[in-house]
């Protein structure tokens, strides 16, 4: 009954390893392809495959197209591997036989699937849909073509709140309703047991370190979060039980945000915790707090903070919808008339910005902190992009790869639309130029602790000079042991002059008829459907 490509001599390898084995032989298998969904809970492809009669393979592929790309970093690899190790352990507790676990391969996804298909034919391929970058989209197109050519059914399940219907084609309120419907659906229970293809049929493979995968961009993030479903769920519980009460008040500071922000973003980005699980945990916590309030108990800032966090869960899907609907956002200005700006890229300024040596203390502290942990609160991310885009006049497209590597929670659907928003090229958002001095005054701590920690050259600088240390008199510089231009750089641009230039240039381009027409089209395509209104152009 076997095809010639499989061969009778391999027939015994397809025996199912499970309690009560009676010599059954499977002629094919189903493959669950893990990508940004390395978890056991709320995993629809896994649950679907577990309910089917064929044995299944839980496959993760280390893909060179990603490993060697400019958006991938060793820190991502470590986080992913921690997730794989966590899931492998969980799977082994519910898999039949003694060789259960994940199957791991290094190689091109199509070539890996073809090699597995030659060993034991793949009947169905199941995975979650992803809003990926150009590399992922190209790979998915090739996998789809291969599956069609080989009669393999590929099922892709939703997990991110993104609608298959383009945003511009939805009626008022429809997107929000679709999002809520997806998030309020009952969660998918983790399978109680799994029938995996025997490890004698298909070798499991091993979790591979970055050096074995030839990861192009390496380096340590000493205070990065650890990956895995267990770590993600623990982070979620601590936020909703204790850390989150002051979220709405403290999220804007990189000092207080370290604990008061949810810190769930890397787990959501890499799928170690599902968005639906997070939203429903949020909803349950809101009901608990409302019940406490009705009973007369003090609830502090919980309700305000939980509402603020819920809004951000919706925002992440809203931004991913933009890239889903318009993949060109990754590489092209949403309004093309802004192409005439930022034509000359200054490599010296770029390197100073990237290494936290701009002479603007809050910018430098944020960048150095980001290098150390791979995380920064949202407002300070905006500061970094705003400063580079407006005051250093750098094209955002040259910034997205390195920031993708720096952000442990890099997620394409958020990354590129947000970059365009902060760089001012969407045509529908206000120009956002963050003042490094004001951000330091408002969010670096009462004695600028955040700056003192991450820019130790300035540790002894008097408080009154911390925001603009280049204005210290020479005697004060000598007294505090920080000579500007020697120990710490002078500002690489004139802050006031660069601000005025950016405002003037953007006002000039925004006033053009072509800009207004394109902006109206962008709004029609991506603008909120909550309250549709006529926009003056």
């Amino acid at each position: 009954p076997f095809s010639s490509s499989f061969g009778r001599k391999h027939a015994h390898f397809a025996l199912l390893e499970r309690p009560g084995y009676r010599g059954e032989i499977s002629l094919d298998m189903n493959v669950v392809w893990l990508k940004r969904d390395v978890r056991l809970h709320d995993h629809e492809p896994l649950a679907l495959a577990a309910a089917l009669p064929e044995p299944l393979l839980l496959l993760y592929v280390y893909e060179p197209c990603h490993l060697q790309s400019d958006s991938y970093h060793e820190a991502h690899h470590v986080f992913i591997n921690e997730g794989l190790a966590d899931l492998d352990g969980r799977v082994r507790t519910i898999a039949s036989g003694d060789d259960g676990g994940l199957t791991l391969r290094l190689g091109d996804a199509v070539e890996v699937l073809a090699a597995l298909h030659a060993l034991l034919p793949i009947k169905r391929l199941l995975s979650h849909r992803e809003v990926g970058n150009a590399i992922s989209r190209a790979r998915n197109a090739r996998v789809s073509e291969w599956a069609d050519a080989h009669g393999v059914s590929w099922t892709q399940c939703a997990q991110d709140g993104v609608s298959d219907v383009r945003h511009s084609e939805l009626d008022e309120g429809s997107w929000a309703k679709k999002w809520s419907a997806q998030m309020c659906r009952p969660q998918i229970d983790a399978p109680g047991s799994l029938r995996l293809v025997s490890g004698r049929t298909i070798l499991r493979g091993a979790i591979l370190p970055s050096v074995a995968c030839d990861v192009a961009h390496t380096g340590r993030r000493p205070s990065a979060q650890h990956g895995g479903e267990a770590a993600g769920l623990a982070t979620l519980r601590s936020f909703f039980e204790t850390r989150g009460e002051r979220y709405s008040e403290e999220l804007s500071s990189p000092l207080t945000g370290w604990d008061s922000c949810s810190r769930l973003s890397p787990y959501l980005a890499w799928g170690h915790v599902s968005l639906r699980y997070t939203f429903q945990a949020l909803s349950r916590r809101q009901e608990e707090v409302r019940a406490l309030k009705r009973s007369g108990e003090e609830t502090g800032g919980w309700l305000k903070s939980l509402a603020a966090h819920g809004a951000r869960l919706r925002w992440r899907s809203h931004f991913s919808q933009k890239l889903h609907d318009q993949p060109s956002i990754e590489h092209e200005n949403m309004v093309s008339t802004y192409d005439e700006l930022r034509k000359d890229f200054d490599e010296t300024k770029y390197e100073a910005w990237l290494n936290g040596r701009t002479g603007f203390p809050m910018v430098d502290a944020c960048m150095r902190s980001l290098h150390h942990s791979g995380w920064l609160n949202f407002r300070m991310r905006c500061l970094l992009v705003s400063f580079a885009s407006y005051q250093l006049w750098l094209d955002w497209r040259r910034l997205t790869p390195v920031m993708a590597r720096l952000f442990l929670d890099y997620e394409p659907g958020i990354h590129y639309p947000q970059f365009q928003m902060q760089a001012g090229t969407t045509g529908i958002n206000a120009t956002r130029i963050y003042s490094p001095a004001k951000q330091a005054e408002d969010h670096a701590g009462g004695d600028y602790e955040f700056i003192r920690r991450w820019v130790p050259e300035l540790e002894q600088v008097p408080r009154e000079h911390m925001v603009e240390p280049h204005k210290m008199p020479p005697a004060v510089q000598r007294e505090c042991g920080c000579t500007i231009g020697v120990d710490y750089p002078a500002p690489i641009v004139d802050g006031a002059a660069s601000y005025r230039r950016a405002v003037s240039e953007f006002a000039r381009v925004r006033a053009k008829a072509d800009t207004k027409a394109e902006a109206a089209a962008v709004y029609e395509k991506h603008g909120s459907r909550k309250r549709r209104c006529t926009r003056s152009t």
Side-chain angles (χ1 to χ4, degrees):
F2 294 94
S3 67
S4 59
S5 62
F6 189 75
R8 289 182 179 273
K9 64 180 181 179
H10 298 300
H12 66 285
F13 286 154
L15 299 179
L16 298 183
E17 299 288 328
R18 64 181 187 274
Y21 161 69
R22 299 186 304 277
E24 295 95 335
I25 296 177
S26 176
L27 302 183
D28 48 26
M29 64 176 171
N30 298 318
V31 172
V32 175
W33 180 18
L34 301 170
K35 292 180 283 183
R36 286 178 176 257
D37 54 354
V38 178
R39 63 177 184 271
L40 201 58
H41 78 277
D42 198 29
H43 200 298
E44 188 172 0
L46 178 57
L48 290 174
L52 293 169
E54 300 82 14
L56 68 94
L57 201 71
L58 273 169
L59 173 68
Y60 184 84
V61 183
Y62 295 103
E63 302 174 75
C65 62
H66 283 299
L67 300 170
Q68 293 158 20
S69 75
D70 284 338
S71 61
Y72 192 85
H73 190 270
E74 183 179 11
H76 298 147
H77 198 83
V78 170
F79 191 88
I80 289 167
N81 276 353
E82 289 169 341
L84 291 170
D86 180 277
L87 180 59
D88 186 69
R90 291 168 183 264
V91 168
R92 289 178 184 275
T93 65
I94 60 173
S96 57
D98 58 4
D99 63 347
L102 307 184
T103 298
L104 301 113
R105 293 292 186 269
L106 170 62
D108 174 80
V110 171
E111 293 176 2
V112 166
L113 290 169
L116 294 172
H117 189 65
L119 288 172
L120 189 62
I122 301 171
K123 185 174 183 179
R124 300 177 186 87
L125 178 66
L126 303 99
S127 69
H128 275 115
R129 181 188 62 193
E130 58 183 327
V131 180
N133 58 17
I135 295 171
S136 294
R137 292 192 299 273
R139 174 256 276 144
N140 286 346
R142 291 186 292 107
V143 169
S144 180
E145 183 179 355
W146 175 86
D148 289 344
H150 291 81
V152 175
S153 171
W154 185 11
T155 299
Q156 299 188 70
C157 303
Q159 67 167 347
D160 49 20
V162 172
S163 173
D164 286 327
V165 181
R166 290 183 181 274
H167 197 56
S168 59
E169 298 170 3
L170 293 171
D171 296 328
E172 180 178 345
S174 294
W175 187 88
K177 291 176 182 177
K178 285 179 175 290
W179 188 91
S180 295
Q182 189 178 140
M183 292 303 109
C184 292
R185 279 176 49 199
Q187 292 178 42
I188 308 297
D189 292 333
S193 62
L194 292 173
R195 287 198 304 126
L196 300 180
V197 174
S198 169
R200 293 186 300 160
T201 305
I202 297 176
L203 296 178
R204 292 285 178 246
I207 294 175
L208 299 176
S210 58
V211 65
C213 291
D214 196 24
V215 172
H217 298 280
T218 59
R220 295 181 65 247
R221 304 261 185 265
S223 54
Q225 290 172 262
H226 293 289
E229 187 173 359
L233 295 177
T235 301
L236 182 148
R237 285 192 296 271
S238 70
F239 178 67
F240 288 135
E241 291 174 4
T242 57
R243 294 186 296 109
E245 182 179 358
R246 296 182 62 81
Y247 171 75
S248 64
E249 296 179 21
E250 298 183 343
L251 62 87
S252 293
S253 168
L255 276 174
T256 55
W258 183 266
D259 291 317
S260 292
C261 286
S262 77
R263 306 302 302 278
L264 288 169
S265 56
Y267 302 105
L268 292 169
W270 297 104
H272 297 179
V273 175
S274 80
L275 180 60
R276 178 164 50 204
Y277 186 99
T278 304
F279 175 76
Q280 293 186 13
L282 167 74
S283 299
R284 288 193 300 273
R285 181 59 174 148
Q286 286 177 311
E287 288 304 312
E288 291 173 1
V289 175
R290 290 184 186 117
L292 290 172
K293 187 174 183 178
R294 286 193 296 269
S295 68
E297 293 195 36
E298 176 59 45
T299 58
W302 272 113
L303 286 177
K304 183 178 179 181
S305 290
L306 292 170
H309 189 256
R312 281 156 179 79
L313 293 181
R314 292 175 176 85
W315 290 352
R316 72 189 312 282
S317 298
H318 176 70
F319 277 95
S320 292
Q321 187 74 53
K322 295 176 190 288
L323 187 64
H324 174 272
D325 291 353
Q326 188 178 345
S328 64
I329 287 174
E330 180 178 347
H331 299 296
E332 299 175 6
N333 286 327
M334 293 171 71
V335 172
S336 65
T337 52
Y338 290 112
D339 291 349
E340 67 182 76
L341 303 179
R342 302 171 177 144
K343 284 187 172 294
D344 298 321
F345 194 89
D346 191 317
E347 294 288 349
T348 301
K349 291 177 181 176
Y350 167 75
E351 289 296 329
W353 170 79
L354 178 59
N355 293 301
R357 299 284 297 171
T358 67
F360 290 80
M362 193 62 170
V363 172
D364 295 340
C366 286
M367 185 59 84
R368 297 184 195 187
S369 170
L370 182 58
H371 275 277
H372 199 268
S373 69
W375 183 86
L376 193 64
N377 64 313
F378 178 73
R379 177 174 285 271
M380 295 305 113
R381 298 185 191 208
C382 295
L383 169 64
L384 289 179
V385 177
S386 166
F387 183 80
S389 300
Y390 291 111
Q391 295 182 290
L392 302 186
W393 210 238
L394 301 177
D395 190 324
W396 65 269
R397 287 166 286 198
R398 285 286 304 275
L399 311 179
T400 53
V402 69
M403 294 303 272
R405 298 195 299 273
L406 283 169
F407 292 153
L408 183 61
D409 54 15
Y410 164 63
E411 187 164 358
I414 299 172
H415 194 69
Y416 302 105
Q418 267 293 339
F419 248 92
Q420 292 225 37
M421 180 176 172
Q422 302 306 328
T425 55
T426 68
I428 61 173
N429 298 107
T431 301
R432 300 165 184 257
I433 304 180
Y434 288 76
S435 164
K438 178 170 173 49
Q439 297 308 312
E441 291 166 355
D442 291 350
H443 302 300
D447 192 36
Y448 299 106
E449 301 95 303
F450 182 72
I451 294 174
R452 295 186 193 278
R453 174 182 178 184
W454 292 108
V455 189
E457 309 96 297
L458 303 178
E459 187 175 6
Q460 300 302 320
V461 169
R463 187 184 186 284
E464 62 268 24
H465 293 296
M466 184 61 81
V467 172
E468 297 179 312
H470 64 286
K471 293 183 178 180
M472 283 190 295
V476 177
Q477 294 184 39
R478 289 192 297 272
E479 184 178 339
C480 69
C482 179
T483 301
I484 300 302
V486 177
D487 301 301
Y488 183 70
I492 61 174
V493 293
D494 182 315
S498 60
Y499 173 86
R500 289 192 298 270
R501 176 200 181 190
V503 170
S504 174
E505 285 293 283
F506 268 80
R508 177 181 62 81
V509 175
R510 192 182 304 113
K512 292 184 175 184
D514 287 349
T515 302
K516 294 179 180 180
E518 286 194 46
V522 170
Y523 178 75
E524 184 62 29
K525 186 175 218 175
H526 299 293
S528 172
R529 293 299 185 267
K530 277 190 174 182
R531 293 186 299 272
R532 298 301 298 271
C533 59
T534 301
R535 289 172 59 89
S536 174
T537 59

